[in-house]
Amino acid sequence: MSINSAMLAGVSGLVANSSALAAISDNIANVNTVGYKRTTANFSSLVTSNSKASTYSAGGLKAITHKYVRQEGNHMGTSSNLDLAISGSGFFVTTSKSEGNLPTDQRLFTRAGAFVIDDLGYLRNDAGLYLQGWIADNLTGEIVTDPSDLSQLSTINVSGTGGTAEATTRVAISANLSNQQEVATWGEDPDGDGVYTEFYDDTLRNQMAEWKATNGASGLEPDFEINIPVSDSQGSQRNITMGFMRTGNPNEWVVEVYGDPSVIDDGDANVGKIAAGTITFNPDGTIQVGDGSLDGLFPAAPAAPTISIGASSDTAGPGAPTWRTNLGISAQDIQIDLFTAPGGLTQFSSLSEAQNISANGTPFGVLADVQIDKQGYVTAIYENGTIRRLAQVAIATFSNPDALISMNGNAYQVSQESGTYTLKAPGAGGAGEIDPSTLEASTVDLSTEFTGLITTQRAYSAASKIITTADEMLEQLLNIKR
């Protein structure tokens, strides 16, 4: 009966506009939700088959909700380094638990990038979802991105590294040795015949390292010393000294490198000696390369003059110094740059002095800040100035993101229509870049939603009028019998 179909069409209008009102309400409620995507209700007419050409049967309509996931919201700058937005296509890959994730566990995708560090050091957004990425190798710092292997993703943790330190590997010296330095007269000459009872011998205890170790009680006093601060593998500050003594040969100096005997074990001598040898200068005041210069002092000279200190666990002996056993630290090679540093080591007619001593390496420092750049690299910055790359944020893209299934927490999961995800590094293969200290605003426009409220209300009222009119007509039909 046409009147019944009209009433049913009115009911379908009420139901459809109720769905539209629900979508509008959701939009207005989430106008300030980070990364929220606007939902609309589109209407589709329903047509029923007519039993007779002269009779029309109303079909009504149905509402189909549609979420514009592909639409990108405006980006808003924030003061937090951990607030992230994606400039372009893609989604952050997240999980609902921080640890113990398996490849079969559910992954959720979101553009809500308001991340904070939880009590265990993991990056988590306001919905409690944990950010996934590729983790850097602890030893090399290398990050391998494998878009085809979900098992390579892990929850990003920024505080698990704790403090950090870097051992000194290179020292640059800018110093001058005075060519006016008198040749040392070592020891004593009791007979006055010019024959001294003690002479420099780096194989015996007649050496500068001994003078330093005994506070001048024995050994030979250097003509000049250069103190070099270095950091060991655990970030402790140590002091290495280079001692110089002029010899009777033209432009030649005896050189020793030594440290505190309580820190450096050189075997039986027990004076903290690390290396010994000679340096010869050219007539123009520069270091002579070859012809025996630097022999014994630096085995790798002149390309890369290097001193070596063995690990605490190694066995010390003549020519093989180690860190003391009680320190428990690693072996260390330190390149001493005497050639390419500004000025380098020279011998001119001026005072012996060190103009500049610079060394890399840092003492122990705790985590001070975490930053994330456009390529998604998560970098830890420590109080000692050390910078360490921890991870890279992964971006997932879809062939049809509008078909993703909405989940709690402004997140989405894969559907058959959306297609499976593809993992990419930020900015690669069509994936958007990361905007640090930025959040993506909701795509809701209040003026559009309030206009939709008015039209939906009117349409709902009109649909209700259909029902009341059909009811009145049915009542008139029932009154015919009277």
Side-chain angles (χ1 to χ4, degrees):
M1 188 178 197
S2 295
I3 295 178
N4 288 334
S5 67
M7 183 173 287
L8 293 175
V11 172
S12 68
L14 295 178
V15 173
N17 283 284
S18 295
S19 296
L21 178 63
I24 294 171
S25 301
D26 228 4
N27 291 340
I28 295 176
N30 287 279
V31 66
N32 290 322
T33 301
V34 174
Y36 177 79
K37 304 302 180 181
R38 176 174 174 263
T39 302
T40 62
N42 297 329
F43 300 120
S44 177
S45 63
L46 297 175
V47 178
T48 61
S49 57
N50 297 325
S51 58
K52 295 183 180 179
S54 60
T55 303
Y56 183 81
S57 179
L61 78 162
K62 65 177 179 179
I64 302 174
T65 57
H66 181 78
K67 186 175 286 288
Y68 293 97
V69 180
R70 195 188 303 267
Q71 183 180 356
E72 185 174 349
N74 294 327
H75 288 193
M76 309 174 296
T78 70
S79 59
S80 173
N81 294 333
L82 301 181
D83 285 342
L84 307 177
I86 300 175
S87 181
S89 62
F91 299 82
F92 298 113
V93 183
T94 64
T95 58
S96 58
K97 59 181 181 179
S98 59
E99 300 174 340
N101 289 291
L102 300 175
T104 54
D105 290 337
Q106 184 184 44
R107 297 308 194 273
L108 297 176
F109 307 92
T110 184
R111 289 177 69 96
F115 293 100
V116 296
I117 302 174
D118 74 357
D119 56 345
L120 296 178
Y122 293 101
L123 293 184
R124 182 188 65 189
N125 70 5
D126 294 337
L129 299 177
Y130 293 91
L131 183 62
Q132 297 267 290
W134 295 286
I135 309 302
D137 185 271
N138 287 332
L139 296 178
T140 65
E142 183 182 4
I143 298 176
V144 178
T145 59
D146 189 348
S148 63
D149 190 356
L150 184 62
S151 65
Q152 297 300 317
L153 290 184
S154 299
T155 306
I156 297 175
N157 187 297
V158 299
S159 64
T161 55
T164 185
E166 288 187 358
T168 298
T169 58
R170 182 169 180 174
V171 174
I173 295 177
S174 177
N176 182 67
L177 301 178
S178 176
N179 70 349
Q180 303 299 315
Q181 177 67 49
E182 295 182 359
V183 176
T185 55
W186 302 324
E188 299 178 354
D189 182 9
D191 301 328
D193 59 0
V195 178
Y196 293 88
T197 58
E198 293 185 22
F199 294 91
Y200 177 84
D201 187 342
D202 68 354
T203 64
L204 303 174
R205 294 176 66 88
N206 304 334
Q207 50 198 317
M208 291 175 274
E210 181 187 355
W211 185 87
K212 186 77 170 184
T214 62
N215 293 317
S218 59
L220 302 173
E221 182 179 3
D223 295 327
F224 181 65
E225 285 185 321
I226 296 177
N227 293 316
I228 305 170
V230 299
S231 297
D232 62 29
S233 62
Q234 295 184 0
S236 296
Q237 289 287 83
R238 310 295 180 185
N239 193 65
I240 301 298
T241 302
M242 292 187 72
F244 299 86
M245 292 184 68
R246 185 82 179 266
T247 74
N249 296 324
N251 300 326
E252 184 184 68
W253 295 72
V254 173
V255 185
E256 282 186 18
V257 183
Y258 42 87
D260 189 334
S262 66
V263 174
I264 301 294
D265 185 357
D266 60 3
D268 294 337
N270 200 33
V271 293
K273 189 175 69 175
I274 299 172
T278 60
I279 288 181
T280 305
F281 291 91
N282 295 311
D284 64 359
T286 61
I287 295 178
Q288 184 183 100
V289 178
D291 297 329
S293 181
L294 306 181
D295 283 354
L297 180 62
F298 302 117
T306 301
I307 60 172
S308 298
I309 306 174
S312 296
S313 57
D314 295 340
T315 301
T322 67
W323 296 110
R324 285 289 180 183
T325 303
N326 61 300
L327 299 178
I329 53 181
S330 303
Q332 194 164 347
D333 291 334
I334 304 175
Q335 181 179 338
I336 308 295
D337 186 355
L338 303 174
F339 303 99
T340 60
L345 184 63
T346 59
Q347 179 193 254
F348 292 120
S349 182
S350 63
L351 295 176
S352 293
E353 61 178 347
Q355 290 92 14
N356 184 61
I357 307 296
S358 61
N360 67 353
T362 55
F364 177 81
V366 298
L367 182 67
D369 195 12
V370 176
Q371 295 184 355
I372 303 176
D373 62 16
K374 288 184 176 294
Q375 284 71 47
Y377 289 113
V378 182
T379 303
I381 301 175
Y382 297 85
E383 289 180 344
N384 58 12
T386 302
I387 298 176
R388 177 179 295 177
R389 187 170 285 178
L390 304 179
Q392 185 176 23
V393 177
I395 298 294
T397 60
F398 296 85
S399 58
N400 182 20
D402 289 342
L404 289 169
I405 300 173
S406 296
M407 303 293 290
N408 290 334
N410 200 18
Y412 306 93
Q413 69 177 13
V414 175
S415 71
Q416 184 174 354
E417 291 77 15
S418 70
T420 188
Y421 53 84
T422 301
L423 298 177
K424 299 174 182 177
E433 290 187 334
I434 300 292
D435 277 351
S437 299
T438 305
L439 291 176
E440 182 179 350
S442 167
T443 57
V444 174
D445 177 56
L446 280 179
S447 60
T448 301
E449 301 306 322
F450 284 135
T451 301
L453 275 179
I454 295 172
T455 57
T456 300
Q457 182 184 20
R458 295 304 182 191
Y460 191 89
S461 298
S464 66
K465 288 295 184 182
I466 295 174
I467 295 175
T468 56
T469 301
D471 179 58
E472 291 173 357
M473 292 176 67
L474 285 173
E475 185 178 359
Q476 292 293 326
L477 181 60
L478 293 174
N479 289 336
I480 293 176
K481 184 178 179 182
R482 298 177 186 174

